[in-house]
Amino acid sequence: MARQTAPVAVSAVGRAYIEKQAPTLSPTALIASLPGVQAGNEGPINTEYETFHVRGLDQSQIGFVFEGVPVSDIFSYVPWTSSMVDNENLESISVTQGSVDLTAPVYNADGAMVSMREIRPSDHFGGFVDFAGGTHSLQKQFIRLNTGEIGQSDVRAFASFSHSAANLWRGPGDLERWHVDANLEKRWTNISSSDIVFGYTRSHQNIYRYPTLAQWNANGTSFNYDGSYQSGDTNYYRINERFTNVVFGAVHNDFRLTDQLSLHVEPYTTFQNGPNNYGATIPVAGGYIGTSRYAYLDGYQGRSGMLTVESVHPWQQNTSGVTVDLDWKAGANDLSLFYWYSYGDHSEYQDQYPLSPGGNWSYAENYLTANGLRVTGYQEHTIQQLNAVGIDDKLTLLGGKLVLDAGFKASMASRVATQDVPGAAPYRAAPNYFEPTPQVLATYHITDADQVYLNATTSYRLPANWSAYLPQYPITSATPSSVPPGSLAAEYFIGQELGFRHNGPLNVSAAWFHYNLTNHQISSSSYLPGTSVLISTQIAAGGEEAWGFQGEIGTRPWHHISAYASGQYLNTRIGNNVNAGTDYLPTKGKQEPGAPTFSGAIGLTYDDGTYFGNFNFRYQDAQYSTLMNDQSIPSYATADLSLGRILPSFHSSVHPKIMLNLINLGGVNYLSSISGFGLTAVTRKGLFGNVVKASAPSYVVGSAFTAMVTLAADF
C-alpha cells in the first residue's frame, strides 16, 4: 500500500506490483484487488471492451485518465485503457473510489476515477525487452529503448514497440495487437519540465459472444460464434470481428513561474476508428432504410427472400482539448484556478456486403444500396464542445495538521447529433448542459501516522452514446429498434465519505461512504433480432442511493513477505418505480444491478531480491442483472499466482529474469459481469395492469485458466 494523504478514499498499485503480473493483462485487471473494484476480465489479453465497476458504478460512470488526458470513448464512455499504454511502461494506477478530482478532464465520472501514469525516460542509455508465451497461443514481444540524456540538453526520451496475440480461449477466432509508446522529456529546471507523450495502437479481434443465463446454463464456456459457415448463419465467427486504431498525443507542461506561482498546461488529441463487423440478414425486397420502404435491393430486382450479409460498421471519432491549471501558494493558503476545453466528433453508419455461399466477402465489392441509398439502420454524426472553469482553495492550519479544501467547477457542454436516414424522428437533437459541481473536503492528522478525513463532493455524467438522443432502425421494419428515452438530463452524483488511515508496519485505510444519484441512466446493449449486431440502449432508472464500508490493510515486508487484504460492503437502493414503456415496474427499493453486497481480496507477496512471487485471491458476491432483481449471476472466487527469479547478469550490463504467471488457478468457469442489463427477466404486469415483456440480460464470461512464461531483461 502506497501512503495516501488526500482527503478522499484512494487506492493504488505501483511499478513493483505491476511488473510481477502477466504483461498482457489490461490495466483494469491490474487493479481488480483494490477495495470496491470489480473487473470483468474476459480473457488473458484484451483489445478494447472492458466491464468495470466501482461501488456499484459501471465503466460508463467512471472517469479514466492517462497522464492527465481522458481515455474513455467520448460518447459511449467505454474505457480505452488497453489502447493507451503497455504494462511495461506503466508507473502506477490509482483508483479514487468515491469522488472525482475537480480539475480532471472528465464529463462522465459520477463518483469514481482511475488515473494512470507512465514511466519517465531514464537518465542513462539502455532499455528493456521481454518475450512471453503461454496457453491459448498467448504471446507478447516488447522492447523499449532509452536515449538517456542527449548531450547536455536535459532532453531524454524513450520509445517502445510491442506485439501480442492469442487465440480466443472459448470458440474459434483470434486477436492481435500492435502498440507503440513514446515519451520525450525536457527538464527546464529542477521543478519545471515538458513531456511529449505519444501512443499508437492497431488491433484486430474476433468478438466474444455474450450469453444469456439460459444459454450459459445450457452451453457453458462452449457458447460462442460458429466455427464453420452454413447458409444464412449470422453467427459465423469470421464475420464477427472488431478492428481498432488509436493514435494519442499530449504535451504535458509543468512550469514554476515564481516561488509562489506554478502553471500546468496540457494540450492533447486522440483519434480512433473502426470498423466493427457483424452478421445480419436483410430483405431482398420490401426492406427499410429508416422509415422508407424499398422495393428491391439495387441489382436484385425480381428476387425475394433474405440475404445474409457482413454488416460493416465504419466509425471514427476524434477528441482534442487543453487543460490549464494556475496554482498560487502563499503561506497557509493554496489557490488554484483551472480551465478545460474539449472538442469531440463522432460519426458511424453501416455498410452491408453480401456473403458468398462459403461465407466470404470483400471490400472490393460494392456495398448494398437501394434506390441508390446505402442500406443502413443508422447514419449518425455527433459533435460536442465543452468548457469547464473552476476554482479550488486549500487552507493549512495547526502547523499542517488540519487542511480545509473547498472548490467549485462549472461545466458547460453543447451537443449536436443528427440521424441521416429517411424519416428519422427525431432526426436532430441539440441539447445543452450546465453542471455546477461544488465540493468540500477536510483532513486532520492526529499524529504523523494517523489521519482522519471527511468530504462532501458532487459530480456528473452526461448522457451516454448517441442512442440517448436518436433512434436506430432495423432494416426489416420501419419501427425503431431503439428509441431515445426522452429528454435526458445529466446524471448527478452527491456523495459523502468519512475515512481513517494509519501508516506504519501495518497500513490501514477504512472509509464509510454514502451517495445519491439523480437522473440515473443505465447503459446497456442487446443483440438486434436475427443478427449478431449489438445495439446500445439507455435505461432511464430515476434515482439511486447507496452506502457502505470499504477497507484495506497492508503490511511492510517481514522476512521478505508482505500481505494485503481489501473488502467492501455495499447497500444500494433504487429510488423510484421505473418506466418500462408500456407501464411502470415496481422497482422502488430494489437493489441496483451490478452491485454485489460483498467483495474482497487477499494478497501475499515474497521478494528477497532474487526470488519473487505474488498470490491474489478475489471474491465477488452475487449481483442482480435486472432492475426487478429477478435474475442474477452467482458469486465467484478466483486466484492468480506469479513466480519468478532474477537470473545472473551478463557482462554486468544485462539483467535478466524469468517469471511464470498462472491466471484463474482453479480453472473456474464463471460469469464475471453483466454486458446487457434488463428491466425484468419474466413477463409481468406493471403497476397499471399493462403487460411488460421479459428481457434477457447478457453476460461477460470470465477468463479461463491461463499459464504464461515471460523472459525479460534490462540492459
Side-chain angles (χ1 to χ4, degrees):
M1 286 176 60
R3 181 166 187 169
Q4 308 290 346
T5 59
V8 295
V10 57
S11 307
V13 296
R15 185 74 212 138
Y17 173 82
I18 294 169
E19 65 185 3
K20 293 181 175 66
Q21 310 307 309
T24 56
L25 288 180
S26 69
T28 55
L30 293 172
I31 53 178
S33 292
L34 299 181
V37 173
Q38 300 165 248
N41 182 23
E42 68 176 359
I45 182 175
N46 204 311
T47 62
E48 179 190 344
Y49 188 78
E50 297 172 88
T51 56
F52 186 79
H53 289 72
V54 176
R55 291 186 181 176
L57 305 173
D58 69 26
Q59 64 276 357
S60 72
Q61 299 169 286
I62 299 167
F64 288 82
V65 294
F66 170 58
E67 286 297 323
V69 175
V71 293
S72 294
D73 184 287
I74 56 177
F75 292 116
S76 73
Y77 307 144
V78 171
W80 293 92
T81 54
S82 296
S83 296
M84 286 297 112
V85 62
D86 271 317
N87 289 0
E88 291 87 344
N89 294 328
L90 263 176
E91 176 64 30
S92 65
I93 313 173
S94 64
V95 181
T96 306
Q97 289 99 336
S99 60
V100 176
D101 183 355
L102 277 182
T103 64
V106 292
Y107 49 82
N108 69 300
D110 278 329
M113 201 171 106
V114 176
S115 301
M116 301 186 296
R117 291 187 65 249
E118 188 176 61
I119 62 172
R120 287 296 179 261
S122 170
D123 290 339
H124 305 287
F125 175 81
F128 177 81
V129 62
D130 66 34
F131 302 92
T135 54
H136 318 299
S137 299
L138 181 62
Q139 58 172 290
K140 183 173 185 180
Q141 306 86 40
F142 172 90
I143 184 169
R144 178 179 66 241
L145 295 175
N146 281 287
T147 64
E149 184 178 3
I150 301 173
Q152 302 295 318
S153 64
D154 270 331
V155 174
R156 300 154 181 81
F158 77 74
S160 69
F161 169 79
S162 73
H163 168 263
S164 49
N167 294 331
L168 298 193
W169 69 266
R170 60 181 180 95
D174 55 28
L175 55 86
E176 196 163 15
R177 173 183 180 268
W178 296 263
H179 183 78
V180 172
D181 284 323
N183 188 299
L184 176 69
E185 179 188 52
K186 165 64 176 178
R187 300 178 188 174
W188 305 102
T189 67
N190 292 339
I191 49 180
S192 295
S193 64
S194 296
D195 287 275
I196 300 175
V197 185
F198 172 81
Y200 168 75
T201 296
R202 178 187 173 195
S203 63
H204 161 264
Q205 177 176 347
N206 291 106
I207 302 172
Y208 285 108
R209 191 177 176 194
Y210 301 118
T212 64
L213 193 59
Q215 291 167 331
W216 169 255
N217 290 334
N219 302 285
T221 58
S222 64
F223 181 82
N224 205 12
Y225 290 102
D226 303 325
S228 59
Y229 180 72
Q230 304 294 326
S231 180
D233 184 8
T234 61
N235 290 321
Y236 179 42
Y237 83 99
R238 287 188 182 274
I239 60 174
N240 289 276
E241 53 188 348
R242 179 170 62 219
F243 299 85
T244 307
N245 296 279
V246 179
V247 179
F248 161 82
V251 183
H252 187 112
N253 299 286
D254 288 301
F255 303 121
R256 178 65 66 87
L257 304 179
T258 69
D259 289 342
Q260 296 178 320
L261 199 63
S262 59
L263 176 67
H264 167 82
V265 180
E266 185 166 11
Y268 64 87
T269 188
T270 304
F271 178 80
Q272 301 148 323
N273 71 318
N276 297 342
N277 297 350
Y278 308 98
T281 55
I282 64 174
V284 172
Y288 291 83
I289 304 173
T291 61
S292 177
R293 189 175 188 269
Y294 59 80
Y296 295 98
L297 296 173
D298 293 339
Y300 287 80
Q301 286 78 3
R303 305 186 197 180
S304 61
M306 302 294 288
L307 188 65
T308 307
V309 299
E310 171 81 317
S311 186
V312 177
H313 297 216
W315 62 271
Q316 67 176 29
Q317 65 182 27
N318 70 277
T319 179
S320 299
V322 61
T323 60
V324 180
D325 188 344
L326 183 65
D327 185 78
W328 177 66
K329 186 173 180 62
N333 200 67
D334 190 348
L335 180 67
S336 293
L337 302 174
F338 51 90
Y339 170 73
W340 173 40
Y341 172 76
S342 169
Y343 175 88
D345 186 304
H346 177 97
S347 61
E348 187 171 354
Y349 54 91
Q350 297 171 316
D351 285 332
Q352 321 293 342
Y353 293 85
L355 295 184
S356 72
N360 299 312
W361 67 283
S362 171
Y363 282 116
E365 300 178 15
N366 293 325
Y367 57 77
L368 294 172
T369 60
N371 303 321
L373 297 177
R374 170 184 282 116
V375 180
T376 179
Y378 57 83
Q379 188 164 336
E380 68 82 26
H381 183 206
T382 306
I383 293 175
Q384 172 182 283
Q385 292 194 74
L386 182 143
N387 287 272
V389 61
I391 184 171
D392 185 75
D393 191 25
K394 296 179 184 177
L395 183 63
T396 303
L397 302 170
L398 305 180
K401 286 183 172 293
L402 176 64
V403 180
L404 304 176
D405 186 343
F408 177 83
K409 180 169 72 173
S411 301
M412 297 145 284
S414 64
R415 286 178 169 177
V416 178
T418 57
Q419 180 64 285
D420 295 326
V421 295
Y427 76 93
R428 183 179 185 273
N432 294 300
Y433 300 91
F434 174 76
E435 303 300 328
T437 49
Q439 69 175 26
V440 178
L441 311 98
T443 185
Y444 181 73
H445 294 271
I446 305 169
T447 67
D448 289 342
D450 298 286
Q451 173 193 5
V452 292
Y453 64 86
L454 59 87
N455 62 65
T457 61
T458 60
S459 50
Y460 69 97
R461 169 188 179 268
L462 297 184
N465 222 309
W466 56 266
S467 61
Y469 310 104
L470 303 171
Q472 49 190 323
Y473 294 84
I475 298 169
T476 55
S477 168
T479 302
S481 53
S482 74
V483 179
S487 180
L488 287 178
E491 191 171 84
Y492 201 78
F493 172 97
I494 302 174
Q496 306 86 34
E497 283 182 333
L498 175 63
F500 168 79
R501 292 190 184 100
H502 171 78
N503 291 280
L506 181 68
N507 298 310
V508 178
S509 177
W512 169 88
F513 59 87
H514 171 268
Y515 67 78
N516 282 99
L517 284 178
T518 57
N519 302 316
H520 181 32
Q521 299 144 36
I522 298 176
S523 295
S524 186
S525 62
S526 59
Y527 290 103
L528 192 64
T531 75
S532 62
V533 177
L534 274 172
I535 60 173
S536 299
T537 55
Q538 304 298 317
I539 301 173
E544 179 194 345
E545 182 180 14
W547 65 271
F549 301 91
Q550 74 168 58
E552 57 182 334
I553 300 174
T555 68
R556 292 179 182 172
W558 178 75
H559 293 282
H560 312 299
I561 298 173
S562 56
Y564 174 82
S566 69
Q568 177 181 272
Y569 169 80
L570 177 66
N571 183 291
T572 61
R573 180 180 180 273
I574 298 173
N576 54 275
N577 298 319
V578 171
N579 188 345
T582 57
D583 207 328
Y584 282 80
L585 286 171
T587 55
K588 185 176 182 178
K590 301 289 187 183
Q591 187 171 324
E592 181 71 13
T597 303
F598 295 99
S599 60
I602 297 173
L604 286 173
T605 297
Y606 177 86
D607 192 340
D608 65 4
T610 300
Y611 294 93
F612 60 89
N614 178 258
F615 172 79
N616 273 298
F617 173 86
R618 305 181 185 96
Y619 171 79
Q620 292 289 343
D621 208 352
Q623 49 189 300
Y624 291 113
S625 55
T626 65
L627 274 73
M628 281 300 297
N629 293 176
D630 52 11
Q631 190 172 113
S632 64
I633 58 176
S635 61
Y636 62 87
T638 61
D640 302 334
L641 178 67
S642 302
L643 299 170
R645 187 184 191 279
I646 305 299
L647 300 175
S649 298
F650 293 99
H651 305 294
S652 72
S653 60
V654 179
H655 312 288
K657 68 176 181 180
I658 189 169
M659 180 171 63
L660 170 67
N661 294 101
L662 303 175
I663 302 169
N664 190 4
L665 270 174
V668 178
N669 295 326
Y670 65 102
L671 298 175
S672 66
S673 57
I674 302 156
S675 170
F677 295 88
L679 294 171
T680 174
V682 297
T683 298
R684 64 177 73 234
K685 288 187 176 181
L687 293 175
F688 299 106
N690 299 309
V691 173
V692 178
K693 293 183 179 180
S695 53
S698 56
Y699 302 94
V700 176
V701 180
S703 179
F705 169 76
T706 302
M708 189 173 199
V709 175
T710 303
L711 182 63
D714 288 294
F715 58 89

